Amino acid sequence: QVQLVESGGGLVQAGGSLRLSCAGSGLTFRRNNMGWFRQAPGKEREFVAAISRSGGSSYYEDSVKGRFTISRDGAKNTVYLQMNSLKPEDTAVYYCAADLGVGVSPKRDEYEYWGQGTQVTVSS
């Protein structure tokens, strides 16, 4: 019923940029806070960024502040993650997720719906 589908991952050189997209269906898009998480091999899935229902508030993990920007387009039922100044340590599978809670959250367990992930690889 609920689907979140990520796209836009790939291989990029350090210092380059990528824009990830997550298209949602089967849910009331504007009702959900949305988040991006990432998981590198052998590591826990970690929070990257989140955005409120209206798009008016956002929250970022410290290591990506100033480099990544989360945004959303209600008309397209899509959330984006613009990633600039990419570093090799950004290499991971990136997942989008939908949160039905009151506000944006960095907590993985508070997100109910998840996409399949898209691989981002940053070469040195």
Side-chain angles (χ1 to χ4, degrees):
Q1 182 182 2
V2 175
Q3 287 188 296
L4 299 172
V5 181
E6 302 97 333
S7 62
L11 175 64
V12 65
Q13 292 184 322
S17 298
L18 287 172
R19 189 179 74 160
L20 306 183
S21 299
C22 176
S25 63
L27 75 168
T28 305
F29 185 81
R30 289 183 175 87
R31 191 165 66 92
N32 300 300
N33 303 299
M34 300 294 296
W36 285 96
F37 290 75
R38 64 188 180 186
Q39 187 168 20
K43 295 187 177 181
E44 296 282 326
R45 190 171 299 186
E46 66 174 356
F47 172 77
V48 176
I51 190 166
S52 64
R53 293 172 175 85
S54 68
S57 298
S58 59
Y59 181 44
Y60 297 91
E61 195 273 326
D62 286 343
S63 69
V64 307
K65 287 181 179 178
R67 299 190 298 121
F68 291 10
T69 303
I70 188 169
S71 62
R72 64 193 299 162
D73 185 336
K76 296 182 179 179
N77 280 2
T78 301
V79 62
Y80 303 96
L81 185 68
Q82 178 67 46
M83 305 185 294
N84 299 325
S85 301
L86 283 162
K87 304 175 181 179
E89 51 263 44
D90 295 318
T91 295
V93 177
Y94 283 70
Y95 300 87
C96 68
D99 175 14
L100 300 182
V102 174
V104 295
S105 175
K107 298 180 179 179
R108 182 182 59 207
D109 291 347
E110 295 188 5
Y111 289 80
E112 292 191 36
Y113 305 108
W114 294 82
Q116 82 287 353
T118 185
Q119 177 71 49
V120 172
T121 303
V122 184
S123 63
S124 60

